[in-house]
Amino acid sequence: MPSGTGGGRGRLRGAYGVDAPYALFGLGCGAVGAVLAGLGTLSGPGIGVAWLPFLCALVMAVAFVLYAHATRRGKFTVWEGLLDGLELRGNERLLDLGCGRGAVLLAGARRVPEGRAVGVDLWRGVDQTGNAASATERNARAENVQGRVELRTGDLRDLPFGDGEFDVVLSSLAIHNVKDAEGRRRAVAEAVRVLRPGGRLVIADIGGSVPFYRDVLDGLPVSGVGVRSAGWRMWWGGPWMRTRVVTATG
């Protein structure tokens, strides 16, 4: 990943885990199970339809590969483009909502050598393997940005920050983990509350979440709300679980 305020992505030095590891594990187990089921039909009376479980195994194997790529490489590439598009000056105060082990937070920190990158999370292992503030701190040291990174424990629905504290507010695959719609609405409203006038908001999330965020933002004091696809690099198993990006200006 780049240093400073831009540039091409280099070698990752931190360890960033796997997003929603239970989903990747399920895809792998499903593919293996389908292969075993197919092998069982080869010696039985249903040999004529033996191709069905093998076809299922192939689909699940492709989904496994796409998911693994998204969590290990794809999301980093997508976020490099999103951050480059912000054209940061380098002195901004940046907030990452649901920062996890710091994939987006630290990429942002590299772009604000004279600023501050703050990450907030509840540090739940179900959302990411090894999700802990200590893991993010190690990654910050590995990426040589520890001096400009601050970590906080907090709920996205009630952020521990004042109004208009941040020039940039980011979130990647986090707000959908708030299970109820009212909670997700409050999380988006909190993101806008802590964003300064003229600041930039970028939220990437999955499924039907982003259109909901767009509808919420339409009722908040922001402008230029837009939604676009993040592309195949952030397909979590296939196009049926793709990532979209919503942007707005405070």
Side-chain angles (χ1 to χ4, degrees), residues 42-73:
L42 294 178
S43 59
I47 191 170
V49 293
W51 60 271
L52 287 174
F54 287 115
L55 177 61
C56 181
L58 176 62
V59 170
M60 297 193 77
V62 170
F64 179 92
V65 170
L66 286 170
Y67 194 110
H69 171 78
T71 194
R72 300 295 292 174
R73 298 293 297 180

Side-chain angles (χ1 to χ4, degrees), residues 89-105:
R89 298 181 306 275
N91 61 353
E92 288 86 355
R93 186 170 171 84
L94 177 150
L95 174 65
D96 182 10
L97 304 175
C99 65
R101 295 176 66 160
V104 175
L105 175 68

